[in-house]
Amino acid sequence: MAWLFRNWALKLSAVALATILYTGLVFSGSFSDKTLPGVPITALAQPEGTYLLTQQLGTVDIEYRSATDRPITVTADSFVVTIDLATYDMSQAPQVQSLKIHVRPLTDGLEFLSVTPNAISVALDRIDQTQVRVAVDSGDVPPGLEISTPQLSAQRVTASGPQSLLDRVDRALATVRIDPSGIDCCGQVNLVPVDIDGRRVESVELDPSTVRVEIDVSTVETSRTVPIRPLLIGAPATGFEVGTVTADPSVVTLRGAPEVLAAIAEVLTEPISLSGTNATLRATGKLVLPEGARLADPAAAEPTIVVQIRETVATRTLLLGLVCSGAPSGSACLPRIEQVAVTVSGTVSDLDALNVGDLTAALDVSGLGPGDHLVQPTVALPGVVTLVTMSPISVTVTIVPPATPAP
């Protein structure tokens, strides 16, 4: 007995440690941890009279533990993943709020460990309703037809939905299309809630969802808007040319049979003479209408025509001598060529007034030492003309220092 109880505390600790190690070994070999991705989220306890703006709640990844000695087929149906909409603070609707995700295993032998993410952002809004007007979009009326004012079975309908979306609804739109055959339109038409820009507002319902639309369609003259082209004859004075030509109004609307208007691309004026003109011309034009066409607005029969007359702009090439400047004292500046060709642009009168003898092409060799250098000439021109091009662009210049005096 003495031997049995000798160092009893140490012996008891050794037995406990062995038990713990054995238990851990058995446990670690009997269970495994895994991750199940893409488990959908379900919303519960949605408050009455509200709308879930966050329609797509997404999915989560669940980390779980299961026994290895009893295989279990684990799918998304093995867990229920929920959020409690009752915890949403409706006093701040429809702001986005973060709600905690709850996970519960549905299969025996599964132990839930963690979920990623553990919360998602959702938004709720209160359901409301309001009255909106009914509008008709008849699109483009086919040529040769005209339509009456649409007659509706209801002028206003009730729109219901989330307050934040309901505020965007401008009208209930009935879209119809006019048949080119000229048959009266239209019958019962579906209504769509749209905003002020005509874009559909989702999650809003209309009551009634349809309205009866009646539109009388009749075959009449069609209309076409074409440009006005002034008919100019004669030539301006020598040295002048025609600039911009404008008509006010610049277009005119014609009415007539569709087949007549289809062949009309523009309307001419009676001839306007420019012979010998050297200043801007303002005249009253008279339209020459094609046969079978008439003006939608008779007041547009005499547009105001303005013809800009300006001096002719031309180019001229001049040969200018080269002159060096800035050569070192006593040094010689020797260009490889004597002249450059300079092309200038301006009115004919300004070009005629140029005195070529007063123009030179300057070669600035300031700061250049002895030897050959490539220098770009510069030309000082009167402000009324502009330089177009110069050939060559650069000239080789040789700087020759003064001769060294004999001893």
Side-chain angles (χ1 to χ4, degrees):
M1 292 297 291
W3 174 85
L4 181 63
F5 288 100
R6 183 182 305 158
N7 298 324
W8 67 270
L10 184 60
K11 294 177 181 179
L12 183 61
S13 299
V15 172
L17 179 59
T19 303
I20 292 174
L21 292 176
Y22 177 77
T23 303
L25 178 63
V26 173
F27 183 84
S28 62
S30 302
F31 296 91
S32 63
D33 296 346
K34 296 182 180 180
T35 299
L36 177 65
V39 182
I41 304 171
T42 303
L44 301 178
Q46 180 172 342
E48 185 177 356
T50 63
Y51 181 85
L52 182 59
L53 296 175
T54 313
Q55 290 292 304
Q56 301 297 328
L57 297 179
T59 61
V60 297
D61 297 340
I62 298 176
E63 185 180 1
Y64 65 93
R65 176 173 294 160
S66 63
T68 57
D69 57 352
R70 189 177 58 177
I72 300 175
T73 301
V74 180
T75 66
D77 295 332
S78 301
F79 296 91
V80 58
V81 181
T82 61
I83 56 172
D84 186 2
L85 295 181
T87 61
Y88 184 91
D89 186 0
M90 290 303 299
S91 65
Q92 299 183 19
Q95 297 181 7
V96 175
Q97 300 177 26
S98 180
L99 300 185
K100 183 179 179 181
I101 294 177
H102 303 276
V103 179
R104 180 168 56 88
L106 299 178
T107 303
D108 293 338
L110 293 181
E111 179 185 357
F112 165 68
L113 298 179
S114 65
V115 61
T116 304
N118 57 13
I120 63 168
S121 298
V122 298
L124 284 175
D125 201 359
R126 294 180 176 86
I127 299 293
D128 201 355
Q129 63 180 28
T130 186
Q131 293 288 310
V132 296
R133 63 187 178 91
V134 178
V136 176
D137 177 13
S138 57
D140 295 330
V141 179
L145 302 178
E146 70 175 8
I147 61 175
S148 64
T149 301
Q151 302 298 315
L152 305 174
S153 59
Q155 299 296 325
R156 302 183 73 83
V157 295
T158 301
S160 58
Q163 288 180 346
S164 57
L165 299 179
L166 206 58
D167 293 340
R168 292 173 46 199
V169 179
D170 176 70
R171 59 194 181 277
L173 188 64
T175 301
V176 299
R177 290 295 174 261
I178 306 302
D179 194 296
S181 63
I183 300 175
D184 289 345
C185 187
C186 295
Q188 208 71 19
V189 180
N190 292 327
L191 294 176
V192 176
V194 298
D195 60 14
I196 194 171
D197 296 321
R199 295 187 295 263
R200 181 173 187 145
V201 181
E202 301 293 342
S203 304
V204 173
E205 297 181 355
L206 300 176
D207 185 26
S209 59
T210 62
V211 67
R212 185 168 184 81
V213 181
E214 299 291 344
I215 301 177
D216 294 332
V217 181
S218 57
T219 303
V220 293
E221 287 183 331
T222 187
S223 62
R224 185 176 186 181
T225 300
V226 295
I228 296 173
R229 182 167 70 87
L231 179 59
L232 307 179
I233 60 174
T238 302
F240 291 85
E241 64 182 4
V242 177
T244 58
V245 180
T246 60
D248 185 18
S250 60
V251 297
V252 65
T253 300
L254 304 178
R255 294 189 67 83
E259 60 274 13
V260 172
L261 299 186
I264 301 175
E266 60 184 7
V267 174
L268 300 177
T269 65
E270 292 182 353
I272 299 174
S273 176
L274 302 180
S275 299
T277 305
N278 60 4
T280 296
L281 175 66
R282 178 181 291 268
T284 299
K286 293 186 178 180
L287 298 181
V288 180
L289 299 179
E291 184 177 356
R294 61 183 180 85
L295 292 174
D297 180 9
E302 296 184 349
T304 299
I305 308 300
V306 177
V307 183
Q308 180 190 25
I309 304 298
R310 62 192 181 194
E311 287 193 74
T312 303
V313 176
T315 60
R316 189 167 297 175
T317 300
L318 312 173
L319 291 178
L320 303 182
L322 292 167
V323 177
C324 285
S325 64
S329 177
S331 297
C333 176
L334 303 177
R336 291 286 180 87
I337 60 175
E338 297 180 353
Q339 295 178 321
V340 291
V342 176
T343 301
V344 295
S345 173
T347 63
V348 173
S349 60
D350 289 335
L351 294 177
D352 290 341
L354 284 178
N355 186 352
V356 180
D358 296 336
L359 302 177
T360 58
L363 295 170
D364 186 3
V365 295
S366 300
L368 300 180
D372 293 339
H373 304 277
L374 202 60
V375 181
Q376 184 173 348
T378 58
V379 181
L381 296 172
V384 292
V385 296
T386 57
L387 178 65
V388 177
T389 185
M390 180 186 302
S391 180
I393 296 297
S394 300
V395 176
T396 301
V397 177
T398 303
I399 306 297
V400 181
T404 304

